Each structure stands twice: as structure tokens, then as C-alpha cells.
Amino acid sequence: MCNPDFITFLVVLICSPQYISNPYLVAKLVEVVFTAMPAVDPRSENLYQRILSNPLAQAHLAPALMKFYIDVETTGASSEFYDKFSIRCHISVIFKSLWCSSQHKSVIIQESLSGNQFVRFINMLMNDTTYLLDESLDTLKRIHEAQEAMENKEAWAQQTREQQQIRQRQLLTDERQCRSYLMLEIGRASCRERV
């Protein structure tokens, strides 16, 4: 059983960016909420429900996650471009769950009507979607080209062993990247359907 003070502490730190200026620390707290989701770890369903039913979370979690989704655009790290997709994926999946709760849903709807950050949030969600789909299509094209090259046995046999290995390694990399892009996009798509 988790201490109620821990849940309040977690929610306060996520919902009050003035307490933690490092976005990676906030991202780790968001990841705690993400990993507590029953879809991620069924054993933590009780913890997740206690987080969602916390009065501070019901009032502030959705707007705070929207703001963090926007703020994580620039973190100052050299890897910020790729880090933001992982962080935003967690937020998108949490949003999908929040939308299923009437209390959280009403807060999201209220936020959309106030327009404070909702328009920027949706804009960034759509920009991320466009980027991920574009990258997925590019990698799918490269995967298809590599597979066709390998199927042409005569042309494939004319390449050196090193050329074949380079092409095979690139194919494996493209397949992993494509899978990653599509998984990130699935989280966003389910979020867009609800918001």
C-alpha cells in the first residue's frame, strides 16, 4: 500500500514546475505515473487509481501535463530533440487514460475552452504526429528498397560481403526506427482521438 502523502508529493511536484526546474526530473516523475498504469504494470492498478483520484491530480494533472508537453520542446540538452518524443509519448498515453475519467475529462474540456495552453498543446501534438508519420514513411521506403535489393539474388551476389553487411545493418536499424516511430505515433493517435 502506498502512503497518501507520497501520492500528494508526486502530484504536487508534477503540477508545480516552480519546485523542479530540471525537465528531466519532472519527466521521471511523469514516467512514474506512466509505469503505474495498469496497461504497463497490472500489479500497480491500485496505485494508479489512487493517483487519479487524488483531489490535486483531478484538478491540476491534465493542465500540468499539457504545459509540460509544451515546455519539453526545449530542454537545453543536446539530445532534446529525441528525448521529447519519449517524454511526450508517456504524456500521450496518460492523457488517453485521463480521458476515460469523467473528472479528468471535464478538466481537459475546461482547459480546451479557456484556450490557455490547449491550442499550443494540440499544435505540438499534430506537429509531432506529422514528423513521426513522415519519418515512418521514409524508413518504410528504405526498408522496402533494401528488401527488394536482397530479393534480387543476382545483383545481391555481385556486392562485396562488406556492402551486404552494411545494407543488412542499415535494414535492421531502419526496422527498429520504424517500429519506434510507429509506437510513439500510436500513443499520440489515441490521445488525439480523445482530445
Side-chain angles (χ1 to χ4, degrees):
M1 200 62 146
C2 188
N3 185 326
D5 292 339
F6 169 75
I7 293 171
T8 300
F9 180 71
L10 177 68
V11 171
V12 166
L13 290 178
I14 292 172
C15 297
S16 305
Q18 67 271 21
Y19 293 131
I20 301 177
S21 59
N22 184 331
Y24 291 103
L25 293 178
V26 177
K28 287 297 180 188
L29 296 172
V30 170
E31 191 173 346
V32 168
V33 175
F34 172 78
T35 56
M37 295 181 68
V40 177
D41 183 1
R43 297 171 298 166
S44 61
E45 183 173 2
N46 184 30
L47 171 62
Y48 189 68
Q49 291 308 319
R50 291 180 64 203
I51 292 169
L52 292 190
S53 64
N54 180 285
L56 290 173
Q58 289 179 337
H60 303 289
L61 186 59
L65 290 175
M66 280 184 209
K67 182 172 180 354
F68 188 56
Y69 192 100
I70 294 165
D71 291 346
V72 81
E73 180 71 19
T74 53
T75 60
S78 61
S79 60
E80 74 182 17
F81 182 76
Y82 298 102
D83 293 342
K84 74 179 179 182
F85 287 109
S86 177
I87 295 166
R88 287 176 171 176
C89 180
H90 292 152
I91 293 171
S92 295
V93 173
I94 293 169
F95 254 93
K96 179 180 177 181
S97 174
L98 294 179
W99 190 254
C100 296
S101 159
S102 60
Q103 179 66 33
H104 290 280
K105 185 177 185 176
S106 67
V107 172
I108 294 169
I109 292 169
Q110 185 59 42
E111 186 67 30
S112 74
L113 297 173
S114 73
N116 291 340
Q117 57 203 1
F118 189 76
V119 173
R120 288 191 67 207
F121 169 69
I122 295 298
N123 183 40
M124 289 184 169
L125 190 67
M126 296 306 293
N127 287 344
D128 289 351
T129 298
T130 301
Y131 172 79
L132 291 169
L133 286 175
D134 189 44
E135 289 298 309
S136 296
L137 292 173
D138 286 346
T139 56
L140 283 172
K141 181 181 176 190
R142 288 194 306 268
I143 290 167
H144 178 71
E145 290 168 352
Q147 289 172 338
E148 279 187 334
M150 290 177 187
E151 286 175 6
N152 184 344
K153 302 293 183 195
E154 187 177 308
W156 185 255
Q158 291 177 356
Q159 294 183 24
T160 67
R161 183 73 183 137
E162 183 180 343
Q163 289 172 322
Q164 290 175 352
Q165 288 176 340
I166 289 170
R167 194 76 189 256
Q168 289 170 330
R169 278 194 300 268
Q170 185 60 49
L171 174 62
L172 290 173
T173 299
D174 286 340
E175 287 173 340
R176 275 193 307 270
Q177 268 189 317
C178 188
R179 197 173 304 116
S180 176
Y181 290 142
L182 291 173
M183 291 305 294
L184 289 170
E185 177 46 32
I186 288 168
R188 277 176 184 69
S190 63
C191 182
R192 276 192 322 277
E193 286 173 11
R194 286 156 173 70
V195 176

